[in-house]
Each structure stands twice: as C-alpha cells, then as structure tokens.
Amino acid sequence: MAFHYPNGRRFVPQAMEEKKSPLKKISYSNRGKTLEDDLNETNQYYLAHGIAVIHKKPTPIQIVDVHYPKRSAAVIKEAYFKQASTTDYNGVYKGKYIDFEAKETKNSSSFPLKNFHDHQIEHMKHIIQHDGIAFVIIRFSAMDDIYLMSSEQLSFYWKRMKEGGRKSITLQEVESSSRKITLGFQPRIDYIKVVDSLISENF
Amino acid sequence: MAFHYPNGRRFVPQAMEEKKSPLKKISYSNRGKTLEDDLNETNQYYLAHGIAVIHKKPTPIQIVDVHYPKRSAAVIKEAYFKQASTTDYNGVYKGKYIDFEAKETKNSSSFPLKNFHDHQIEHMKHIIQHDGIAFVIIRFSAMDDIYLMSSEQLSFYWKRMKEGGRKSITLQEVESSSRKITLGFQPRIDYIKVVDSLISENF
C-alpha cells in the first residue's frame, strides 16, 4: 500500500528541492518517484548525517565519437549504453564494504529475475568472498513495498532459474526470504537499519 | 626510472590481449600505456586471484539527447562529461572498504594539485571518518615512478594550497610522505601490498 504523509506531500530537503526545476517543485505526492530517486535521497541523508558514505555509480557508457568545439565543452556525439559489470551502489558503513543493486517491478505477484544479470550475481558472490556485504533492494511499485534480500538468497533463486526453475521470485518467497524496509519520513528507505541487523546476526 | 623486462616487452595476460585490436597486439613496450590501463590490469589480476574486488567507476556523463532507432540499440546523440563527485576506484579488500583516485603527470619535479578536485578531497575525508581506507596513486610518467599517498597526507598539501601555499607537491615531498610502489611483472602495480602495510600499522 502506498504511504502518505499528513498533508499528502512528502518531505524533500531544501537543498535537493532547489536543484529541481520550478515545474517539478510543485509535485505533491510520491507518484513517479523512482526507487533510484528515493535511494539517492536516502544516501544524501546518510552522508549529511555521518551515517554512511554510499553512492550510485555512473551509468556505464561506450563513447564512440566526441567533438571538441572551440571555446566550449567537449560534446559526446555518439555513445551507447553498456551493461554494468558490477552493481549500481557501493560504499562504506562502519568500515565495512557495502554493495547493492536496486530494482523495481510493476508486477504485484512476483519479482522477475530478468532484472539482474549473470555479471551482477557473480560480482556479489565475489563481494561475499571478500567479507563485504552484498544485497539487493527490490521494490514492488504497485504496492510501494520495498525489501532487502541478501545476495546469498538471490543466488539461490538465480541458481534455481538456471537449473530450469521459475524465472521469478514469488511475492511469498520474497516475503519469507528477505526483510521488508519500512518506508520512513527521512531517510525515505532506511536500508542501513536492516544492514545493521544483518551485521549483528552474521558477522 | 623506467622498468624493462628481459625482452623489452611487458607481459600482457592472454585474455586481455585478445580483446585488443591486432594493431595494438604488436606493441613491445609500456610506452603509451596509461596509469588507468595498468591499474585495470592489476585489478583484474586481484579479482582473478581472489585478492581483492576493486573496480573503476564509469566516467560520469550528463546525457542530453537519446535516439531510439527501430530494431537497434539506443544511441546517445548529445552528452557531456561531468566532474566526478567521488574518486574513480573503489572496492573491498579483506572486508575493508578501499577507495582511491589515480592521477599521472608529465612533470618530473612536482605533482600539480589541479589533478584533484575539492569534491574528491571531501569524499576521501568522509571515507576516513567511516573507517574506510582512502588514498591516491600518483605516477610521474617521465620516470614511470608510482607512489601511494594516504588521503590524510594529500589533505595536508591541499590545505596548504587553499591557504595560499604552493599549487603542487614537490617530488621530494612526495618521496618523503608516500610509499613508492615497486612496478612488477604481474600484477603490474601491486598497491595492495602497500595497503596491507598501512592496515597493519594503523588499524
């Protein structure tokens, strides 16, 4: 279910709001906010409050052609999106290496595994081998329900698919094998709280 | 001083060599190899040998215009290079968060501080506050000498510049305030060895 604040408007920190165009400024709900937007705000909150330093990596691009006009900035004239070989987010929390991927689905009964790639599953396995903390944050956008699933659990479902099993994780499976993240005021998606409980249980 | 192998040719792992064009395949020296190339090879070596998982982040790009031709991949038609808000490399080593920037200069008597940005110095300070390991790898390309300098040391020189002091770090200062990385066969730039000694001294 969607989560609404008293006046129906979600809080946006001043600094962030100013960066946006005046048109976007008058949005009064969370509709259209992507998981990425919410995570970026959360990470800014963590950084500003000295909780963690976690950033989204830039989108990997294959640059083919760049023009260098006189007296102005270089312009990329031809480039293509590349598939990421790692996950999108990483950083440090209490000295520990944190690494995760975030994906959302419009599907309301299961989470399609096609949202991930072999490279990413492989990458997360490497992180675990080196005592880092790796997980995925998945969002069912229809209900605005967000879960944190450990990379070990995701690997289990990935392997099942590779062995001919189902190509998605059912909502029931997600519920039983990951932690739901309660949506908050600020930070919006307080995933570090869940990471904390994972650390105290497993490390 | 430049470092040469018996036959004057540096070792290139098979898998990497195959990716290159036939023209590049017959290069017999390290001339033209950038610090980035050497670090990417080193990181691949670390990954393949289970030593560490460290990746270079993609170059941050501001995308302005994308075309979606029928039956082929999306083409970015207009984009610009953005200044990075973090450092270029990060990852995990023995559970610890590793973060660094790598820069080279053609200058042979000092290292210009204009190679770094306020954002990056700030970012590295945050990493240290969260018990991560942050440093810079700097290369004097004229001599092919490579040093690892802690972010604390770099901050010292940065502050000196901000207070009106010199805009570079002299070679003597670099020599006395950082560790020289001995260039090797494989891995090429074994910086993790230096990180190891930093960890055993400070943590």
Side-chain angles (χ1 to χ4, degrees):
Chain A
M1 232 201 76
F3 188 88
H4 291 292
Y5 293 104
N7 63 357
R9 183 184 179 182
R10 62 189 290 262
F11 179 78
V12 178
Q14 196 60 30
M16 297 206 56
E17 191 147 7
E18 278 170 4
K19 277 190 206 152
K20 290 177 186 164
S21 72
L23 275 171
K24 280 200 179 161
K25 230 174 172 172
I26 50 160
S27 159
Y28 286 91
S29 84
N30 197 31
R31 275 170 299 177
K33 273 267 171 181
T34 62
L35 179 56
E36 184 181 325
D37 290 335
D38 280 338
L39 285 171
N40 287 345
E41 279 184 36
T42 301
N43 290 337
Q44 272 191 275
Y45 178 91
Y46 288 157
L47 183 64
H49 291 75
I51 296 165
V53 184
I54 293 162
H55 289 277
K56 186 181 181 293
K57 293 185 188 178
T59 308
I61 302 285
Q62 179 71 51
I63 298 169
V64 174
D65 188 23
V66 184
H67 286 203
Y68 299 90
K70 278 180 193 164
R71 285 182 286 276
S72 59
V75 193
I76 298 161
K77 284 298 201 180
E78 186 185 353
Y80 299 89
F81 295 100
K82 279 200 294 191
Q83 199 178 83
S85 55
T86 66
T87 47
D88 269 1
Y89 299 84
N90 71 359
V92 59
Y93 172 61
K94 291 185 180 169
K96 291 187 183 292
Y97 177 80
I98 304 288
D99 194 296
F100 66 96
E101 183 65 29
K103 292 290 180 193
E104 54 192 326
T105 185
K106 285 175 183 168
N107 207 318
S108 58
S109 58
S110 68
F111 200 88
L113 284 162
K114 69 166 193 280
N115 279 295
F116 304 102
H117 306 292
D118 274 317
H119 271 111
Q120 294 178 322
I121 305 289
E122 227 19 65
H123 172 71
M124 285 190 276
K125 276 185 194 160
H126 290 142
I127 297 307
I128 299 298
Q129 282 160 15
H130 291 267
D131 297 325
I133 297 171
F135 53 89
V136 289
I137 291 178
I138 59 183
R139 176 176 178 237
F140 289 93
S141 52
M143 304 90 92
D144 209 7
D145 279 344
I146 300 180
Y147 297 87
L148 186 152
M149 181 181 282
S150 72
S151 69
E152 289 93 336
Q153 272 296 336
L154 178 66
S155 287
F156 167 81
Y157 295 118
W158 192 259
K159 190 165 171 267
R160 183 178 70 181
M161 175 183 73
K162 290 287 173 181
E163 289 169 358
R166 52 179 301 141
K167 291 184 173 62
S168 65
I169 314 170
T170 68
L171 179 59
Q172 285 76 11
E173 287 172 337
V174 170
E175 282 170 342
S176 67
S177 62
S178 47
R179 314 282 178 104
K180 192 164 179 178
I181 304 177
T182 318
L183 293 188
F185 182 60
Q186 221 192 353
R188 178 82 177 141
I189 303 174
D190 198 3
Y191 64 88
I192 282 292
K193 208 177 271 175
V194 179
V195 170
D196 241 350
S197 65
L198 289 177
I199 291 174
S200 57
E201 285 164 30
N202 302 323
F203 293 88
Chain B
M1 233 199 75
F3 188 86
H4 290 293
Y5 293 104
N7 63 357
R9 183 184 178 181
R10 64 188 291 263
F11 180 78
V12 178
Q14 197 59 31
M16 297 207 56
E17 192 147 7
E18 277 170 5
K19 277 189 207 154
K20 290 176 185 162
S21 72
L23 275 171
K24 280 200 179 160
K25 231 175 172 171
I26 49 160
S27 158
Y28 286 90
S29 83
N30 196 32
R31 277 171 296 179
K33 271 267 171 179
T34 62
L35 179 58
E36 183 180 327
D37 291 335
D38 280 338
L39 284 170
N40 288 345
E41 281 184 34
T42 301
N43 290 338
Q44 273 191 275
Y45 178 91
Y46 287 158
L47 183 65
H49 291 75
I51 295 165
V53 184
I54 293 162
H55 289 277
K56 185 180 182 294
K57 293 185 189 180
T59 307
I61 302 285
Q62 179 71 50
I63 297 169
V64 175
D65 188 22
V66 184
H67 287 203
Y68 298 91
K70 277 181 192 163
R71 283 182 287 277
S72 59
V75 193
I76 298 161
K77 283 297 200 183
E78 186 185 353
Y80 299 90
F81 294 100
K82 278 199 296 189
Q83 198 178 83
S85 55
T86 66
T87 47
D88 270 0
Y89 298 85
N90 72 359
V92 59
Y93 172 62
K94 292 184 180 170
K96 289 187 184 292
Y97 176 78
I98 303 288
D99 194 295
F100 66 95
E101 182 65 29
K103 291 290 180 192
E104 54 192 326
T105 184
K106 285 175 182 167
N107 206 317
S108 58
S109 59
S110 69
F111 200 88
L113 284 162
K114 68 166 193 280
N115 280 295
F116 304 103
H117 305 291
D118 274 316
H119 272 110
Q120 293 178 322
I121 306 289
E122 224 22 62
H123 172 71
M124 286 190 277
K125 276 185 194 161
H126 290 143
I127 298 307
I128 299 299
Q129 282 161 13
H130 291 268
D131 296 325
I133 297 171
F135 54 88
V136 289
I137 290 178
I138 58 183
R139 176 176 177 236
F140 289 93
S141 52
M143 305 89 93
D144 209 7
D145 279 345
I146 300 179
Y147 297 88
L148 186 153
M149 181 182 281
S150 72
S151 68
E152 289 93 336
Q153 272 297 335
L154 178 66
S155 286
F156 168 82
Y157 296 119
W158 192 259
K159 191 164 170 267
R160 183 177 70 181
M161 175 182 73
K162 290 287 174 180
E163 288 170 358
R166 52 179 303 140
K167 292 184 172 62
S168 64
I169 315 171
T170 68
L171 179 58
Q172 285 76 10
E173 287 172 337
V174 170
E175 282 170 341
S176 68
S177 62
S178 47
R179 315 281 178 104
K180 192 164 179 177
I181 304 177
T182 318
L183 294 188
F185 182 61
Q186 222 191 354
R188 177 82 179 143
I189 303 174
D190 197 4
Y191 64 87
I192 282 291
K193 209 178 270 175
V194 179
V195 170
D196 240 351
S197 65
L198 289 177
I199 291 174
S200 57
E201 285 164 30
N202 302 325
F203 293 89

